[in-house]
Amino acid sequence: MNPNNKRILHFIESEGVYGAERVILNLSLQLIAQGEYTPVVGCIVPSQHVQSALYDAAVKLNIEAIKIPIANSRLIFDLYRASKQLTAENISLIHSHGYKPSVFGYLLKKITSIPVIATCHLWFEPSKGPLKMRVMISLEKFFYRWFPKIVAVSEPIKQILLESKLLPNRIELIRNGVDVPEATLNIEEKSKLRHSLGLNTTDFCILNSARLNRQKAQWVLIKAAKLLKLQGHDVKILIVGEGPLHQELSELINNEQVEDNVKLLGFRNDINQLLEIADLFTLPSIDEGMPMSLLEAAAAKTPIIATAVGDISKLIQHEKTGLIIPLESPEALAAAIIRLKQDKLLAQQLAAGSHELMVKNYSSKAMCLSYLPIYNSAISQ
């Protein structure tokens, strides 16, 4: 523990290392590089014995991380215990990520007087979610009235916050940022990785990396795989991620008889390497902010097909930096895949365009520098 630096707790309930988690890791690494603040990744868990992929990822990157046990069944007791834990950890600011951490963060502020700010990564169809989730989101929006700053990662999310009657001067727009990775695999290593995934050297490989839920619409990609198969186009699709729709998507793969074409890989910690062997990245989402997986694909110079939701169109401009397809259209997705499979020059040009735009507007350093004055203001109040 460095007593000279103020300590920022990134407070999150995490089920893997997805978009928000990668934002936290990138931001934490940049905070360490800047030297003014010490990031602490705080993972909400039911108990200390429960494994957390984000906790493990942070430790692997030499980012300080702690588990914060808070179970719904003993909420009052656990919040009190968490307040003692944060005080002992000398936390200067709680930076919440997600509706539950924001609600808990506000309550912890009331107990400890540690200030709290929030980043809104996404809200998706709260009226259709489980009752507990809808209640928590309602509380989140209500408590935000007393947050000094709420950060939106995209213009649509900022608009939702404004429509929730929050004061405009308390809302900041800070776009997600990534670093440009260096290629790490040689030809032999790429071949070995492809072989481990059941791919031969000539297979056209399509990658999707996202949480398995309604918003990410992986069913569109599976339906597109069936169309491609019927049209005689041999492609291999790798879907990376876990989530509540795993079983449903697995059954859809079986029902569409594309088991040889589509693989659900589950959670992976080698996304950058998978992007190196992929010929194409696609994200047919029906709701987004600015997805980290898209930024990572652009950083890796992997051609992209996506939908124009959230802030995606700020990075993926049709036929300039990628291909844009309509929502929930397996037919359009299949046609776009065929186009880039057959026109490799176009695919390369689109990938180069998205890479250039990503480097200009979505670096993790720029993201970090935008957060610093917010941290300074929140802590000094």
Side-chain angles (χ1 to χ4, degrees), residues 330-346:
E331 297 79 9
L333 178 54
I337 290 171
I338 292 170
R339 184 179 178 189
L340 294 188
K341 181 174 182 287
Q342 295 178 338
D343 192 340
K344 290 183 172 52
L345 178 59
L346 174 62

PDB file of all heavy atoms in Angstrom, residues 330-346:
ATOM      1  N   PRO A 330     -30.036 -11.949 -39.928  1.00  0.00           N
ATOM      2  CA  PRO A 330     -29.047 -12.960 -40.316  1.00  0.00           C
ATOM      3  C   PRO A 330     -28.711 -12.896 -41.796  1.00  0.00           C
ATOM      4  O   PRO A 330     -27.561 -13.157 -42.191  1.00  0.00           O
ATOM      5  CB  PRO A 330     -29.745 -14.285 -39.964  1.00  0.00           C
ATOM      6  CG  PRO A 330     -30.756 -13.926 -38.923  1.00  0.00           C
ATOM      7  CD  PRO A 330     -31.224 -12.548 -39.282  1.00  0.00           C
ATOM      8  N   GLU A 331     -29.705 -12.535 -42.623  1.00  0.00           N
ATOM      9  CA  GLU A 331     -29.474 -12.462 -44.072  1.00  0.00           C
ATOM     10  C   GLU A 331     -28.437 -11.391 -44.412  1.00  0.00           C
ATOM     11  O   GLU A 331     -27.528 -11.616 -45.206  1.00  0.00           O
ATOM     12  CB  GLU A 331     -30.792 -12.168 -44.805  1.00  0.00           C
ATOM     13  CG  GLU A 331     -31.857 -13.241 -44.656  1.00  0.00           C
ATOM     14  CD  GLU A 331     -32.615 -13.189 -43.336  1.00  0.00           C
ATOM     15  OE1 GLU A 331     -32.438 -12.199 -42.582  1.00  0.00           O
ATOM     16  OE2 GLU A 331     -33.374 -14.137 -43.042  1.00  0.00           O
ATOM     17  N   ALA A 332     -28.581 -10.211 -43.786  1.00  0.00           N
ATOM     18  CA  ALA A 332     -27.631  -9.126 -44.048  1.00  0.00           C
ATOM     19  C   ALA A 332     -26.245  -9.476 -43.516  1.00  0.00           C
ATOM     20  O   ALA A 332     -25.229  -9.159 -44.156  1.00  0.00           O
ATOM     21  CB  ALA A 332     -28.128  -7.831 -43.421  1.00  0.00           C
ATOM     22  N   LEU A 333     -26.197 -10.121 -42.369  1.00  0.00           N
ATOM     23  CA  LEU A 333     -24.907 -10.514 -41.805  1.00  0.00           C
ATOM     24  C   LEU A 333     -24.221 -11.542 -42.692  1.00  0.00           C
ATOM     25  O   LEU A 333     -23.016 -11.434 -42.971  1.00  0.00           O
ATOM     26  CB  LEU A 333     -25.092 -11.068 -40.395  1.00  0.00           C
ATOM     27  CG  LEU A 333     -23.821 -11.559 -39.689  1.00  0.00           C
ATOM     28  CD1 LEU A 333     -22.743 -10.488 -39.668  1.00  0.00           C
ATOM     29  CD2 LEU A 333     -24.138 -12.023 -38.257  1.00  0.00           C
ATOM     30  N   ALA A 334     -24.974 -12.524 -43.162  1.00  0.00           N
ATOM     31  CA  ALA A 334     -24.396 -13.537 -44.055  1.00  0.00           C
ATOM     32  C   ALA A 334     -23.859 -12.893 -45.330  1.00  0.00           C
ATOM     33  O   ALA A 334     -22.750 -13.225 -45.792  1.00  0.00           O
ATOM     34  CB  ALA A 334     -25.440 -14.601 -44.383  1.00  0.00           C
ATOM     35  N   ALA A 335     -24.613 -11.963 -45.895  1.00  0.00           N
ATOM     36  CA  ALA A 335     -24.177 -11.292 -47.124  1.00  0.00           C
ATOM     37  C   ALA A 335     -22.907 -10.481 -46.884  1.00  0.00           C
ATOM     38  O   ALA A 335     -21.989 -10.460 -47.730  1.00  0.00           O
ATOM     39  CB  ALA A 335     -25.297 -10.388 -47.643  1.00  0.00           C
ATOM     40  N   ALA A 336     -22.819  -9.804 -45.739  1.00  0.00           N
ATOM     41  CA  ALA A 336     -21.630  -9.014 -45.427  1.00  0.00           C
ATOM     42  C   ALA A 336     -20.409  -9.910 -45.223  1.00  0.00           C
ATOM     43  O   ALA A 336     -19.293  -9.572 -45.646  1.00  0.00           O
ATOM     44  CB  ALA A 336     -21.880  -8.167 -44.177  1.00  0.00           C
ATOM     45  N   ILE A 337     -20.613 -11.058 -44.582  1.00  0.00           N
ATOM     46  CA  ILE A 337     -19.512 -12.011 -44.390  1.00  0.00           C
ATOM     47  C   ILE A 337     -19.001 -12.499 -45.739  1.00  0.00           C
ATOM     48  O   ILE A 337     -17.780 -12.547 -45.988  1.00  0.00           O
ATOM     49  CB  ILE A 337     -19.973 -13.189 -43.509  1.00  0.00           C
ATOM     50  CG1 ILE A 337     -20.178 -12.712 -42.069  1.00  0.00           C
ATOM     51  CG2 ILE A 337     -18.952 -14.328 -43.555  1.00  0.00           C
ATOM     52  CD1 ILE A 337     -20.846 -13.745 -41.170  1.00  0.00           C
ATOM     53  N   ILE A 338     -19.921 -12.868 -46.618  1.00  0.00           N
ATOM     54  CA  ILE A 338     -19.524 -13.339 -47.948  1.00  0.00           C
ATOM     55  C   ILE A 338     -18.737 -12.258 -48.682  1.00  0.00           C
ATOM     56  O   ILE A 338     -17.715 -12.528 -49.328  1.00  0.00           O
ATOM     57  CB  ILE A 338     -20.764 -13.751 -48.763  1.00  0.00           C
ATOM     58  CG1 ILE A 338     -21.416 -15.000 -48.150  1.00  0.00           C
ATOM     59  CG2 ILE A 338     -20.389 -14.013 -50.226  1.00  0.00           C
ATOM     60  CD1 ILE A 338     -22.763 -15.336 -48.722  1.00  0.00           C
ATOM     61  N   ARG A 339     -19.204 -11.020 -48.575  1.00  0.00           N
ATOM     62  CA  ARG A 339     -18.536  -9.920 -49.276  1.00  0.00           C
ATOM     63  C   ARG A 339     -17.083  -9.776 -48.829  1.00  0.00           C
ATOM     64  O   ARG A 339     -16.169  -9.660 -49.670  1.00  0.00           O
ATOM     65  CB  ARG A 339     -19.295  -8.618 -49.028  1.00  0.00           C
ATOM     66  CG  ARG A 339     -18.718  -7.432 -49.794  1.00  0.00           C
ATOM     67  CD  ARG A 339     -19.529  -6.180 -49.540  1.00  0.00           C
ATOM     68  NE  ARG A 339     -18.953  -5.045 -50.223  1.00  0.00           N
ATOM     69  CZ  ARG A 339     -19.341  -3.790 -50.061  1.00  0.00           C
ATOM     70  NH1 ARG A 339     -20.339  -3.504 -49.229  1.00  0.00           N
ATOM     71  NH2 ARG A 339     -18.730  -2.815 -50.719  1.00  0.00           N
ATOM     72  N   LEU A 340     -16.846  -9.780 -47.516  1.00  0.00           N
ATOM     73  CA  LEU A 340     -15.472  -9.613 -47.045  1.00  0.00           C
ATOM     74  C   LEU A 340     -14.642 -10.878 -47.211  1.00  0.00           C
ATOM     75  O   LEU A 340     -13.415 -10.802 -47.356  1.00  0.00           O
ATOM     76  CB  LEU A 340     -15.475  -9.172 -45.577  1.00  0.00           C
ATOM     77  CG  LEU A 340     -16.068  -7.782 -45.304  1.00  0.00           C
ATOM     78  CD1 LEU A 340     -15.840  -7.371 -43.858  1.00  0.00           C
ATOM     79  CD2 LEU A 340     -15.481  -6.731 -46.243  1.00  0.00           C
ATOM     80  N   LYS A 341     -15.278 -12.004 -47.225  1.00  0.00           N
ATOM     81  CA  LYS A 341     -14.554 -13.254 -47.485  1.00  0.00           C
ATOM     82  C   LYS A 341     -14.037 -13.280 -48.918  1.00  0.00           C
ATOM     83  O   LYS A 341     -12.927 -13.766 -49.187  1.00  0.00           O
ATOM     84  CB  LYS A 341     -15.484 -14.450 -47.237  1.00  0.00           C
ATOM     85  CG  LYS A 341     -14.844 -15.822 -47.439  1.00  0.00           C
ATOM     86  CD  LYS A 341     -15.813 -16.915 -47.023  1.00  0.00           C
ATOM     87  CE  LYS A 341     -15.198 -18.299 -47.174  1.00  0.00           C
ATOM     88  NZ  LYS A 341     -15.085 -18.717 -48.589  1.00  0.00           N
ATOM     89  N   GLN A 342     -14.813 -12.735 -49.806  1.00  0.00           N
ATOM     90  CA  GLN A 342     -14.447 -12.765 -51.228  1.00  0.00           C
ATOM     91  C   GLN A 342     -13.601 -11.574 -51.651  1.00  0.00           C
ATOM     92  O   GLN A 342     -12.912 -11.639 -52.666  1.00  0.00           O
ATOM     93  CB  GLN A 342     -15.715 -12.837 -52.083  1.00  0.00           C
ATOM     94  CG  GLN A 342     -16.503 -14.128 -51.899  1.00  0.00           C
ATOM     95  CD  GLN A 342     -17.777 -14.169 -52.708  1.00  0.00           C
ATOM     96  OE1 GLN A 342     -18.308 -13.122 -53.108  1.00  0.00           O
ATOM     97  NE2 GLN A 342     -18.300 -15.368 -52.940  1.00  0.00           N
ATOM     98  N   ASP A 343     -13.671 -10.472 -50.914  1.00  0.00           N
ATOM     99  CA  ASP A 343     -12.923  -9.264 -51.278  1.00  0.00           C
ATOM    100  C   ASP A 343     -11.920  -8.950 -50.177  1.00  0.00           C
ATOM    101  O   ASP A 343     -12.158  -8.115 -49.300  1.00  0.00           O
ATOM    102  CB  ASP A 343     -13.891  -8.093 -51.475  1.00  0.00           C
ATOM    103  CG  ASP A 343     -13.228  -6.892 -52.141  1.00  0.00           C
ATOM    104  OD1 ASP A 343     -11.983  -6.800 -52.105  1.00  0.00           O
ATOM    105  OD2 ASP A 343     -13.953  -6.028 -52.681  1.00  0.00           O
ATOM    106  N   LYS A 344     -10.775  -9.610 -50.233  1.00  0.00           N
ATOM    107  CA  LYS A 344      -9.769  -9.454 -49.182  1.00  0.00           C
ATOM    108  C   LYS A 344      -9.163  -8.054 -49.172  1.00  0.00           C
ATOM    109  O   LYS A 344      -8.787  -7.537 -48.111  1.00  0.00           O
ATOM    110  CB  LYS A 344      -8.682 -10.515 -49.340  1.00  0.00           C
ATOM    111  CG  LYS A 344      -9.168 -11.926 -49.008  1.00  0.00           C
ATOM    112  CD  LYS A 344      -8.048 -12.932 -49.107  1.00  0.00           C
ATOM    113  CE  LYS A 344      -8.489 -14.303 -48.578  1.00  0.00           C
ATOM    114  NZ  LYS A 344      -9.732 -14.792 -49.166  1.00  0.00           N
ATOM    115  N   LEU A 345      -9.062  -7.420 -50.333  1.00  0.00           N
ATOM    116  CA  LEU A 345      -8.522  -6.061 -50.382  1.00  0.00           C
ATOM    117  C   LEU A 345      -9.435  -5.097 -49.641  1.00  0.00           C
ATOM    118  O   LEU A 345      -8.965  -4.262 -48.857  1.00  0.00           O
ATOM    119  CB  LEU A 345      -8.344  -5.608 -51.827  1.00  0.00           C
ATOM    120  CG  LEU A 345      -7.820  -4.167 -52.013  1.00  0.00           C
ATOM    121  CD1 LEU A 345      -6.464  -4.004 -51.338  1.00  0.00           C
ATOM    122  CD2 LEU A 345      -7.743  -3.816 -53.498  1.00  0.00           C
ATOM    123  N   LEU A 346     -10.734  -5.217 -49.858  1.00  0.00           N
ATOM    124  CA  LEU A 346     -11.685  -4.373 -49.139  1.00  0.00           C
ATOM    125  C   LEU A 346     -11.579  -4.617 -47.647  1.00  0.00           C
ATOM    126  O   LEU A 346     -11.579  -3.663 -46.845  1.00  0.00           O
ATOM    127  CB  LEU A 346     -13.112  -4.640 -49.624  1.00  0.00           C
ATOM    128  CG  LEU A 346     -14.228  -3.921 -48.845  1.00  0.00           C
ATOM    129  CD1 LEU A 346     -14.074  -2.408 -48.960  1.00  0.00           C
ATOM    130  CD2 LEU A 346     -15.604  -4.375 -49.327  1.00  0.00           C
TER     131      LEU A 346
END
